[in-house]
Amino acid sequence: MAIVGSGPLRPALDALAAYLEPRYRAAVNRMDVVVANSKNVQSRLARYLGRESVIVHPPIDTSGYRWKEDGDFYLSVA
């Protein structure tokens, strides 16, 4: 996986990407459900990670949700 661009940091960024990519793929593959915020993101998840996903279109009215307790899951919105 090569980082687009050039400059003196490119080799370091390429090395970092090569180090992080398998760890990222492994983490995504451990997820029970992958959520995308658009068809575009959903298609990229399928193309690059081979993962199906469900689409939750923003904005979402969160006023009806309340924190109850911790569970055996985590949510990444990065």
Side-chain angles (χ1 to χ4, degrees):
M1 170 183 195
I3 303 290
V4 176
S6 61
L9 291 180
R10 171 114 187 232
L13 292 174
D14 285 344
L16 179 62
Y19 173 79
L20 292 176
E21 182 180 8
R23 287 154 182 81
Y24 178 74
R25 286 181 181 276
V28 170
N29 286 330
R30 288 192 306 268
M31 296 177 186
D32 295 323
V33 177
V34 178
V35 177
N37 65 353
S38 69
K39 286 188 180 238
N40 181 39
V41 171
Q42 185 182 51
S43 118
R44 284 187 280 142
L45 287 165
R47 184 176 347 136
Y48 296 114
L49 298 175
R51 284 299 308 259
E52 291 185 13
S53 58
V54 295
I55 299 175
V56 175
H57 294 283
I60 299 170
D61 179 12
T62 59
S63 64
Y65 298 95
R66 299 284 180 252
W67 179 265
K68 289 185 179 180
E69 61 185 278
D70 288 338
D72 60 345
F73 62 89
Y74 66 93
L75 172 65
S76 171
V77 292

